[in-house]
């Protein structure tokens, strides 16, 4: 079956960096757009970034210039490099199958990985 497993979250100080990974299985990863979304405490899901099958990328305004999405089709793995982290980046980060255009186009999400930005 389809599996999406995020990792790489943790506690980091403001200005620090983290790299999230999403290992996938059970579907043809290279054929799908993939995305990252997040949920801050007490808030709804927020679309963060996406990459299509050809490698074209999109970012939310809050992520532009700080986050980089990438994929390794050979490893069926999605990544999110996050630099210059801010306290408002705190939340649970999920990778999504689909989601290149909006949250509504995400077919499945993983269980999430917690990112906490705090001094």
């Amino acid at each position: 079956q389809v599996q999406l497993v995020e990792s790489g979250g943790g506690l980091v100080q403001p200005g620090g960096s983290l790299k999230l990974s999403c290992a996938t299985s059970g579907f043809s990863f290279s054929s799908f757009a993939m995305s990252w979304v997040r949920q801050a405490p007490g808030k709804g899901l927020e679309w963060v970034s996406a990459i299509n099958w050809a490698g074209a990328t999109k970012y939310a305004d809050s992520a532009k210039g700080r986050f980089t999405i990438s994929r390794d089709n050979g490893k069926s793995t999605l990544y999110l490099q996050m630099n210059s982290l801010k306290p408002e980046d705190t939340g649970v980060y999920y990778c999504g199958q689909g989601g290149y255009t909006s949250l509504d186009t995400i077919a499945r999400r993983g269980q999430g990985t917690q990112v906490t930005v705090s001094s």
Side-chain angles (χ1 to χ4, degrees), residues 7 42 70 77 86 105:
S7 62
S70 61
T77 300
K86 305 174 182 180
T105 61

Side-chain angles (χ1 to χ4, degrees), residues 20-66:
L20 307 183
S21 300
C22 174
T24 76
S25 60
F27 66 102
S28 181
F29 178 81
S30 61
S31 300
F32 280 79
M34 298 293 296
S35 57
W36 287 99
V37 301
R38 67 187 181 187
Q39 187 165 26
K43 297 188 177 181
L45 283 173
E46 175 190 12
W47 180 90
V48 175
S49 181
I51 184 168
N52 72 3
W53 64 272
T57 59
K58 297 171 66 176
Y59 298 92
D61 287 345
S62 58
K64 284 179 183 175
R66 301 187 300 125

Side-chain angles (χ1 to χ4, degrees), residues 6-7 20 36-39 46 48 66-67 80 82 85-86 88-95 110-117:
E6 300 93 338
S7 62
L20 307 183
W36 287 99
V37 301
R38 67 187 181 187
Q39 187 165 26
E46 175 190 12
V48 175
R66 301 187 300 125
F67 293 3
L80 185 69
M82 304 188 295
L85 283 162
K86 305 174 182 180
E88 52 263 43
D89 294 318
T90 294
V92 179
Y93 284 69
Y94 303 90
C95 69
Q111 85 290 347
T113 187
Q114 176 70 45
V115 171
T116 302
V117 184

